[in-house]
Amino acid sequence: MVKISVSVLSKNNRETIEKLNETSVDYFHIDVMGGKFVDETNFSISKIEEVSNYAVKKLDVHLMVEAPSTYISLLPLSKIEYLTVHYETLNGDFSIFEKIRHEGIKCGISVKPNTDVKDIFNLLDKIDLVLIMSVEPGYGGQDFLESSLDKVKLLKSEIIKRNLQVLISIDGGINNLNAKACIEAGCNMLVSGSYIVSSNDYEKSIDLLRNV
Ligand code: DX5
Ligand code: ZN
């Protein structure tokens, strides 16, 4: 069954987190924006700690920052299951994967819409998850880019061909209208923000993403 990770970028107050705790959602997706890789700046480390204190679900942290390795020791590691960094920020230094795994955390790598997914094929045996960005990183509430599905399919066939255990997650503009296509293309996890948190029935929206 596909996993659902709810992005709490736009609504990260205690009340929303506690309401989501009562649902069947699998993870809280926390977008960390540093103001350089993306223009926005958002979650401070203290805010992440606050969310992690209220959350009864594991965290799926998406670092949209330059120099991501400087963040590792600042994060509430015991609550994190996946820590994802952007391929575009690594400049050919992939030592961060071992650092993340050394903390007992699963390691993800994300690619922006214009990055060729084949660029990360040689890294697939060092990571646990690929996060395909289906919008330009930086903001919630954007429209899903259909071209992301071809990337997912290409990646899925490579994972199957090499018999790897890497999961595929997709982030940006996910809703009830495109979830089925994402799952059919090969996604194991769907990250969804506005679609879930703007709805008046979180569980129903989560169900619609899973069972379309
Ligand atoms: C975009 C973020 C996403 C975003 C998803 O830069 O990485 O996680 O919050 O929100 P929606 O589902 O509204 O596109
Ligand atoms: Zn994200």
Side-chain angles (χ1 to χ4, degrees):
M1 165 95 73
V2 70
K3 302 281 187 196
I4 307 293
S5 187
V6 61
S7 175
V8 290
L9 181 62
S10 55
K11 264 194 168 179
N12 49 51
N13 55 63
R14 182 173 186 163
E15 193 192 336
T16 305
I17 304 291
E18 287 180 343
K19 255 175 81 184
L20 286 162
N21 279 338
E22 303 298 315
T23 71
S24 64
V25 82
D26 298 285
Y27 301 100
F28 285 112
H29 181 90
I30 310 280
D31 289 301
V32 182
M33 305 188 186
K36 283 188 181 148
F37 177 65
V38 291
D39 294 339
E40 295 292 299
T41 310
N42 70 336
F43 280 93
S44 61
I45 298 300
S46 60
K47 182 72 194 173
I48 298 174
E49 265 166 6
E50 193 187 314
V51 171
S52 79
N53 285 337
Y54 307 147
V56 300
K57 315 280 181 179
K58 284 278 189 176
L59 307 183
D60 160 36
V61 175
H62 177 192
L63 290 181
M64 289 179 272
V65 298
E66 296 289 348
S69 47
T70 58
Y71 283 71
I72 298 176
S73 63
L74 307 173
L75 295 166
L77 299 175
S78 65
K79 290 296 272 289
I80 301 177
E81 180 154 339
Y82 290 97
L83 182 56
T84 295
V85 298
H86 266 271
Y87 171 70
E88 300 85 0
T89 65
L90 300 179
N91 304 314
D93 177 1
F94 305 117
S95 55
I96 191 167
F97 303 150
E98 255 323 295
K99 286 184 196 145
I100 293 172
R101 284 179 154 180
H102 184 73
E103 299 291 343
I105 297 172
K106 292 173 189 149
C107 175
I109 185 163
S110 184
V111 285
K112 297 209 290 184
N114 290 333
T115 300
D116 189 340
V117 74
K118 284 189 194 146
D119 290 355
I120 62 157
F121 279 4
N122 63 336
L123 304 173
L124 291 175
D125 56 349
K126 298 176 178 61
I127 58 168
D128 303 287
L129 174 138
V130 177
L131 179 67
I132 299 287
M133 286 308 298
S134 42
V135 298
E136 280 301 328
Y139 306 93
Q142 302 180 71
D143 288 340
F144 178 78
L145 296 169
E146 292 288 333
S147 55
S148 322
L149 294 173
D150 288 337
K151 286 169 108 167
V152 173
K153 288 177 195 159
L154 191 62
L155 175 61
K156 189 71 172 187
S157 64
E158 179 73 10
I159 290 170
I160 292 172
K161 189 174 87 190
R162 287 164 55 190
N163 198 19
L164 297 166
Q165 300 304 313
V166 179
L167 300 186
I168 305 178
S169 181
I170 190 158
D171 182 10
I174 303 297
N175 58 32
N176 58 321
L177 303 175
N178 51 38
K180 186 170 190 227
C182 294
I183 296 167
E184 285 176 356
C187 290
N188 309 97
M189 192 189 299
L190 308 178
V191 177
S192 182
S194 329
Y195 172 69
I196 297 175
V197 299
S198 320
S199 73
N200 47 24
D201 186 340
Y202 292 169
E203 186 62 43
K204 189 173 164 209
S205 308
I206 292 160
D207 257 18
L208 283 170
L209 292 177
R210 278 208 191 94
N211 301 311
V212 279

